[in-house]
Amino acid sequence: MNLQFDIIEILKVTMVLFAVIDVIGSIPIIISLKQKTGGINASKASFVSFGIMIVFLFVGQTILDIIGISVGDFAIAGSILLFIVAFEMILGIQIAKTGILETLIGLYNRL
């Protein structure tokens, strides 16, 4: 494994993640979560997110190889999911299973 520190690549990935995550667009979701759970522990959420990112940085390709999925296949599946979410947001309909938000809140409270 050849790990090199390249600031240009880090900036590219940061910009892509910022665009995909849509921090500004997530504000209503975060406010809704705070109202339903009574508050979000930002440092706990940050450490958990950081840990997940680090784990997948080192073992993500191995996991995909074990499952038999290429990075391209994973990217296509992710783009389909993003399309479905965008479709729901634009048309104001719900395609996905209901209760996902409640499930995520329950998982968060167990941490």
Side-chain angles (χ1 to χ4, degrees), residues 5-59:
F5 181 78
D6 185 6
I7 192 71
I8 301 297
E9 288 299 318
I10 291 173
L11 288 174
K12 286 180 186 177
V13 169
T14 302
M15 289 287 120
V16 169
L17 284 175
F18 186 78
V20 169
I21 293 172
D22 186 22
V23 178
I24 306 299
S26 298
I27 290 174
I29 296 169
I30 294 169
I31 291 172
S32 171
L33 278 173
K34 285 181 91 171
Q35 290 173 347
K36 290 184 179 183
T37 62
I40 297 174
N41 187 346
S43 61
K44 183 177 175 181
S46 297
F47 282 123
V48 169
S49 299
F50 180 73
I52 291 171
M53 286 189 339
I54 294 300
V55 167
F56 279 97
L57 173 68
F58 292 109
V59 296

Side-chain angles (χ1 to χ4, degrees), residues 35-110:
Q35 290 173 347
K36 290 184 179 183
T37 62
I40 297 174
N41 187 346
S43 61
K44 183 177 175 181
S46 297
F47 282 123
V48 169
S49 299
F50 180 73
I52 291 171
M53 286 189 339
I54 294 300
V55 167
F56 279 97
L57 173 68
F58 292 109
V59 296
Q61 185 64 49
T62 306
I63 291 171
L64 289 177
D65 290 341
I66 290 171
I67 298 172
I69 299 173
S70 70
V71 175
D73 296 339
F74 191 73
I76 291 171
S79 64
I80 291 171
L81 289 175
L82 283 173
F83 176 76
I84 290 171
V85 170
F87 195 69
E88 287 180 342
M89 291 173 73
I90 290 170
L91 296 180
I93 60 173
Q94 188 170 6
I95 298 171
K97 180 181 170 186
T98 60
I100 293 174
L101 184 60
E102 289 76 17
T103 304
L104 290 175
I105 291 170
L107 289 173
Y108 177 78
N109 287 333
R110 280 196 260 160

